Amino acid sequence: MKKFVLFVVSVLLVSLCLGCGSTKKEAAPAKKELIVGTEPAFAPFEFQKAGSSEFTGFDIELIQAMAKKMGYEKCTIRNMGFDALIPALEAKNIDVAIAGMTITEDRKKKVNFSKPYYKSGLSIVVDKNNTTIKDVKDLVGKKIAVQIGTTGAIEAAKIKDAVITSFNTNNEACLELKNKAVDAVIGDKPVEEYFLQQSGKNVYAKIVGKTLTSEDYGIATAKKNAALAKELDKALEALQKDGTYDTLYKKWFGTTAK
Ligand code: GLN
């Protein structure tokens, strides 16, 4: 009898321990720090706070909230070129990349993406006094500035006889337009809109024509790290349900999500 009681007690103890073990595992991530790569010249998604080395923007606040939801103690932002983000994921130098990155078939071959978190598209930006470029068909044979490795660069490459110059950031591409060295910039509409709006009275450019593409932004992770992609989706869904996503959207875009 004694032996039987002892047996039951030990079975109970063992299962209790196993129980705690598995719940703990689900609640806390394997690592305490989430390392996030971004290219921070892409306001209002990611940019440096004025007079500070800190980064802010919709993407930054979203990933910080997601990291918290996933149980990370720390969320570190690393600054790099846009075209360095996917190689950095592959080399495990960063855990995730959030950078207004469009989910494309080509990129999907190299990385995993979270569920889409922002609806975007490309716009044409020209000098505010330009009256000849009204749409994409007017860009044939024209000088166009783009950001290296972006969907804007891919779209510009499709335009017949266009002379394309690539820059590390969208800001530099726009500066080229300001200096009248190019006829147009092709870049992400929300970023161009924000930039024009921030320029206020000193604005030197305008958006023309229809939005060229319909794109979805996603958060990228390494192909080998499928578990993290799932965790990100779970966290994104939770923030969409509890209103955090909507609050951030309203804060940065002034409207509700499309
Ligand atoms: N959405 C564009 C792309 O993914 C541009 C992103 C960016 O410049 N940060 O190519």
Side-chain angles (χ1 to χ4, degrees), residues 6-186:
L6 247 163
F7 172 72
V8 170
V9 168
S10 46
V11 165
L12 272 173
L13 274 174
V14 165
S15 49
L16 257 174
C17 283
L18 285 177
C20 336
S22 64
T23 31
K24 240 190 188 162
K25 232 185 204 163
E26 265 166 36
K31 275 173 63 188
K32 290 194 155 100
E33 183 183 18
L34 185 72
I35 309 206
V36 178
T38 196
E39 184 279 291
F42 210 62
F45 295 93
E46 39 268 329
F47 59 103
Q48 217 143 4
K49 281 186 192 166
S52 148
S53 57
E54 256 181 81
F55 301 113
T56 191
F58 178 70
D59 282 355
I60 304 297
E61 292 197 344
L62 181 64
I63 199 69
Q64 283 167 340
M66 286 170 77
K68 213 167 166 194
K69 205 53 157 192
M70 290 189 284
Y72 286 94
E73 284 168 16
K74 210 172 158 199
C75 176
T76 304
I77 310 288
R78 288 223 179 119
N79 164 2
M80 55 188 72
F82 185 75
D83 55 346
L85 291 168
I86 290 180
L89 282 172
E90 290 172 327
K92 293 199 180 125
N93 290 335
I94 54 172
D95 301 313
V96 307
I98 188 161
M101 190 184 283
T102 303
I103 303 173
T104 66
E105 288 310 312
D106 221 33
R107 289 176 185 154
K108 264 170 35 187
K109 288 182 199 148
K110 297 182 194 147
V111 292
N112 289 321
F113 278 105
S114 68
K115 295 251 164 62
Y117 70 89
Y118 184 88
K119 275 219 161 311
S120 190
L122 294 171
S123 274
I124 303 166
V125 186
V126 297
D127 186 279
K128 71 169 180 204
N129 298 317
N130 185 311
T131 51
T132 52
I133 301 173
K134 296 191 192 75
D135 220 327
V136 67
K137 60 174 183 353
D138 304 319
L139 289 177
V140 173
K142 291 285 191 285
K143 287 189 217 147
I144 305 171
V146 295
Q147 184 185 354
I148 216 161
T150 61
T151 47
I154 296 170
E155 219 43 41
K158 294 181 188 163
I159 298 165
K160 202 172 166 276
D161 297 331
V163 181
I164 297 158
T165 324
S166 306
F167 295 88
N168 281 329
T169 64
N170 179 68
N171 296 351
E172 289 166 70
C174 288
L175 205 61
E176 201 71 350
L177 181 69
K178 188 179 185 183
N179 294 336
K180 304 199 192 299
V182 291
D183 303 298
V185 170
I186 295 183

